[in-house]
Amino acid sequence: MAVSATHKTLCSFLLTLLIFASVLARDDDDHDFSVRLIHRHSSDSPYYNPSETLFHSLKNALKRSANRLNHLRRRPVSPHWARSALTNDYGDYLMRLAIGTPPVEVLATVDTCSDLVWIQCRPCFGCVNQRNALFDTRFSSSYRTLSCDSRPCKSLHRRHRSCESHVCHYSYSYGDDCHIEGDLAKETVAIDTTEGDHVTFSRTTIGCGTYSSGNFYDAGVIGLGRGRVSLISRMKDSIHGRFSYCLVPYFSNAASRMHFGRRSVVSGSEVSRCKLASGDSDTYYYLTLEAVSVNNHRLTYCKKCVSSGDGNIILDIGTTITYLPYRFYDRLESRVRESIDLNPVRDPTQQLGLCYRAATHFRIPVITMHFANASVELDSLNTFIRVSEGVVCFAFAPTDDDIAVYGNWQQMNFLIGYELNRKRVSFKRTDCSNY
């Protein structure tokens, strides 16, 4: 009997080693895969409202974009809370994940300007309703809380972390009345691919939200920023520091996609490769904007509109339009206005400044963004937005400080590739509906 028991124990131990080794191999292997991005206002989104017109959803997107700008400003806050003036919802695109062992499906917001992946966990006081059941850590064999001395905990900004019973606790504030907090943990994360399978990453840092208050309506956030605790950092070696996305036009019925690994390479002769710069935040993806051209008239970007690094504009998938400091925006809008021989009209959404009647045929000026090392020429769909049946508006807006954000409207129908090891971002004009 003793021999039999020893034999069983040895077999069990070897089986555990084999399983552990298979997980390691799976995590360390090269990964090349694609995922589907669900627009917040598409029929596949839990936030879809069939009674809402596309123009009404666009108006909400513009409002959300203005609110998100305050988040990206990183204004000074109290030591305990990290503030950002966000209301109702957080970004434009959603992605499916599966969390834990066994896996629980989560639909969360994609954010290239944050690091932490966080979801709602049971029990969650004040959390929003979501289509799937809340993640219950008691039923996941792979869930492990992180201590206050752990490297991921120390990687969070002091404003985001605290220590409770030796467990690392994170907390965020969105606006004056929206809060989310919970435990920092390691967990298995599986990503749904367009091929119908999953790519799995064990021991991924996540936030397990157990308290929420205010009007925050999202069930989770997928942080794809440059920071140490982001999902991109977790995948970095297996995807060789490369990912890309191709965003379809707002009024398209096709799906946008994000690509990882070799599949994300942007190649060809008509590729603009821009330097990935540094800035005030270790999380954001910065570019260096040198000038903007309206047709052949080049406007040099304001020299004082700079951060602590060489980057001066944030590349963001979650902000709808592009924002520029008002002292430069005013020059840009004036030049666009001069190039269009029509009388402007008021914006019915009250979000944009320069608008014209859509029924009037006019030649839209060519806008070119001159970044360090390369220039990106925009299409007319990137330059003007049809905000109603009768009005189109210039898809840029001013800010009252030096922050600049390159929004997703200007990124639509471009294949945009990030190469973190080479510190560059590539742009290639692409029909994303058929890519």
Side-chain angles (χ1 to χ4, degrees):
M1 293 296 292
V3 173
S4 178
T6 302
H7 179 71
K8 289 181 178 180
T9 301
L10 180 61
C11 288
S12 177
F13 176 71
L14 291 174
L15 180 61
T16 301
L17 286 178
L18 287 173
I19 294 173
F20 183 68
S22 68
V23 170
L24 286 177
R26 178 179 57 195
D27 285 351
D28 293 338
D29 284 346
D30 289 350
H31 289 305
D32 302 295
F33 63 97
S34 300
V35 300
R36 185 167 173 260
L37 297 179
I38 302 170
H39 197 278
R40 178 176 293 276
H41 296 295
S42 75
S43 58
D44 293 330
S45 166
Y47 309 107
Y48 174 68
N49 182 356
S51 65
E52 186 178 74
T53 67
L54 280 174
F55 293 122
H56 190 269
S57 68
L58 177 58
K59 181 179 180 180
N60 289 337
L62 292 173
K63 288 181 178 179
R64 180 170 61 250
S65 186
N67 287 330
R68 180 172 171 80
L69 186 65
N70 290 323
H71 161 62
L72 300 179
R73 281 190 174 103
R74 300 267 179 166
R75 288 175 171 170
V77 296
S78 62
H80 182 63
W81 294 103
R83 291 187 178 273
S84 53
L86 302 178
T87 57
N88 297 339
D89 38 37
Y90 187 53
D92 285 347
Y93 296 94
L94 311 171
M95 192 167 79
R96 295 188 188 279
L97 295 178
I99 306 290
T101 309
V104 174
E105 186 178 274
V106 175
L107 188 63
T109 302
V110 175
D111 188 9
T112 54
C113 283
S114 69
D115 292 330
L116 186 64
V117 175
W118 66 259
I119 59 171
Q120 296 184 139
C121 296
R122 186 184 299 276
C124 194
F125 301 98
C127 287
V128 302
N129 293 326
Q130 60 183 57
R131 181 177 295 179
N132 301 320
L134 291 178
F135 180 64
D136 195 330
T137 61
R138 296 175 301 173
F139 301 126
S140 175
S141 60
S142 49
Y143 180 83
R144 300 289 185 274
T145 56
L146 288 170
S147 71
C148 304
D149 295 328
S150 64
R151 180 176 296 179
C153 186
K154 292 181 178 179
S155 296
L156 294 180
H157 194 280
R158 291 190 302 272
R159 295 175 301 183
H160 291 257
R161 70 176 191 258
S162 61
C163 192
E164 298 185 10
S165 301
H166 304 292
V167 173
C168 186
H169 196 75
Y170 75 94
S171 59
Y172 292 87
S173 179
Y174 300 90
D176 293 331
D177 62 348
C178 301
H179 306 297
I180 183 74
E181 60 180 89
D183 294 335
L184 200 67
K186 289 285 189 181
E187 182 55 288
T188 297
V189 173
I191 302 174
D192 283 10
T193 73
T194 53
E195 287 77 18
D197 57 1
H198 295 84
V199 177
T200 303
F201 298 91
S202 64
R203 305 180 306 282
T204 300
T205 301
I206 70 164
C208 193
T210 54
Y211 174 81
S212 178
S213 66
N215 296 320
F216 194 79
Y217 290 168
D218 281 12
V221 168
I222 302 171
L224 299 180
R226 301 172 74 177
R228 294 180 181 177
V229 298
S230 77
L231 187 58
I232 290 296
S233 294
R234 173 64 185 89
M235 298 189 296
K236 187 174 181 179
D237 290 339
S238 66
I239 62 173
H240 300 282
R242 295 187 296 221
F243 71 98
S244 68
Y245 50 77
C246 207
L247 305 179
V248 302
Y250 188 86
F251 296 104
S252 172
N253 292 322
S256 300
R257 283 177 166 76
M258 182 172 277
H259 314 279
F260 299 89
R262 283 188 291 268
R263 189 175 298 189
S264 68
V265 173
V266 181
S267 59
S269 58
E270 298 181 356
V271 178
S272 298
R273 303 196 189 278
C274 307
K275 175 187 175 183
L276 189 59
S278 61
D280 293 330
S281 170
D282 294 333
T283 296
Y284 300 160
Y285 297 96
Y286 288 96
L287 299 176
T288 303
L289 181 62
E290 297 179 340
V292 179
S293 289
V294 181
N295 292 328
N296 294 322
H297 190 95
R298 184 182 175 107
L299 302 171
T300 302
Y301 194 59
C302 46
K303 294 182 179 180
K304 292 183 179 180
C305 303
V306 297
S307 65
S308 61
D310 56 346
N312 57 19
I313 188 167
I314 301 166
L315 185 58
D316 182 28
I317 197 176
T319 302
T320 305
I321 61 173
T322 289
Y323 291 92
L324 298 169
Y326 71 90
R327 57 177 172 268
F328 179 77
Y329 172 85
D330 288 347
R331 295 168 54 210
L332 175 61
E333 186 190 284
S334 295
R335 178 56 59 175
V336 173
R337 187 191 299 262
E338 291 172 5
S339 68
I340 299 174
D341 190 21
L342 292 172
N343 292 323
V345 298
R346 295 184 64 181
D347 171 22
T349 70
Q350 299 180 339
Q351 300 295 315
L352 300 171
L354 182 61
C355 302
Y356 297 94
R357 295 197 183 280
T360 306
H361 295 288
F362 63 93
R363 185 183 298 275
I364 294 176
V366 176
I367 305 295
T368 304
M369 310 295 291
H370 301 286
F371 299 109
N373 297 354
S375 297
V376 177
E377 182 180 302
L378 302 181
D379 189 80
S380 58
L381 75 85
N382 308 115
T383 307
F384 275 80
I385 298 177
R386 184 181 291 269
V387 297
S388 71
E389 289 291 350
V391 177
V392 296
C393 297
F394 188 46
F396 291 72
T399 65
D400 58 4
D401 51 24
D402 290 340
I403 190 173
V405 182
Y406 196 66
N408 61 52
W409 200 274
Q410 283 65 44
Q411 300 176 53
M412 292 176 183
N413 267 2
F414 280 91
L415 178 60
I416 302 177
Y418 296 68
E419 297 177 83
L420 304 186
N421 295 337
R422 294 187 175 185
K423 295 185 178 181
R424 69 184 187 183
V425 179
S426 300
F427 294 80
K428 182 179 183 180
R429 187 173 292 182
T430 304
D431 180 3
C432 293
S433 298
N434 295 311
Y435 179 73

